[in-house]
Amino acid sequence: MSAPRGVRITVRAGDLTSLAVDAIVNPANRSGAMGGGVAKAIRTKGGREIEREARAQAPIEIGTAVLTPARSLPCRYVLHAATMVQAAERSSAERVRQATLAALRLADQHELQRIAFPGMGTGVGRVPKADAARAMIETIRAFPGRHLKEVILIDRDQEMADAWQRALAEGQPRRQPVRTGGKETPQRPR
């Protein structure tokens, strides 16, 4: 599935920390602490240095992101995009939108071509998966980046992957049936 500017959007269920991409995105908090959810998985597999380097760049305000080396992860970098101010506080679809945009901007600034996002704000931030998926897909599709070629949306939760698939389908032109000789033939979108 591609966004209008040619960025390929790939959805899958799986482990974000196993991807060999330019960068993975951590749905961060303002302090850069990586104590739970996706952040904890990144810290556990990649090393505590990732958290130390993120905290050294704090505060990470909502709508901003910082970059750290990925250490022992198979990707090159971790983009820490704030979805909440305090650790484990409730987030919102608007914060997910802002964090997604911040990560995309930072990736483009560093000329990254392939990045991967988990479900942003859907864990400890408690944003409904459908709302987060819609906010993320709309933001990715609208982003006018120059370098980005592929965005992978990956989460261990199949429900999140399904929510992304539904959000992708919502933005696609619908096929309209065309009557030909009494039969309906699907018409391809132009």
Side-chain angles (χ1 to χ4, degrees), residues 11-171:
V11 173
R12 62 175 89 152
D15 180 5
L16 174 75
T17 65
S18 69
L19 295 181
V21 292
D22 291 323
I24 61 173
V25 180
N26 171 33
N29 58 58
R30 185 175 189 267
S31 73
M34 300 174 71
V38 172
K40 182 178 180 182
I42 292 169
R43 185 192 71 205
T44 299
K45 192 167 179 180
R48 287 197 173 271
E49 297 85 8
I50 296 172
E51 181 179 29
R52 279 194 283 277
E53 291 166 347
R55 291 181 72 107
Q57 297 180 67
I60 308 167
E61 302 297 343
I62 301 293
T64 68
V66 300
L67 179 141
T68 63
R71 301 299 173 185
S72 60
L73 293 169
C75 58
R76 292 172 46 207
Y77 303 106
V78 177
L79 305 174
H80 305 264
T83 59
M84 61 188 77
V85 177
Q86 301 299 320
E89 92 176 342
R90 185 174 289 277
S91 193
S92 68
E94 181 53 33
R95 286 180 173 184
V96 167
R97 186 180 313 280
Q98 292 174 346
T100 301
L101 181 57
L104 292 169
R105 284 179 176 156
L106 188 59
D108 204 52
Q109 177 186 336
H110 287 273
E111 300 182 8
L112 305 183
Q113 295 184 6
R114 294 181 70 225
I115 66 171
F117 285 86
M120 299 288 282
T122 60
V124 295
R126 301 181 298 282
V127 176
K129 291 175 179 68
D131 295 347
R134 199 172 298 111
M136 292 177 73
I137 296 293
E138 289 171 0
T139 304
I140 294 164
R141 282 185 166 152
F143 182 67
R146 296 176 304 156
H147 303 285
L148 205 54
K149 302 286 185 226
E150 182 179 22
V151 172
I152 299 168
L153 302 174
I154 183 168
D155 203 285
R156 290 178 186 246
D157 185 349
Q158 184 63 50
E159 269 186 65
M160 188 67 231
D162 293 343
W164 282 320
Q165 291 289 10
R166 284 190 298 276
L168 278 170
E170 287 173 8

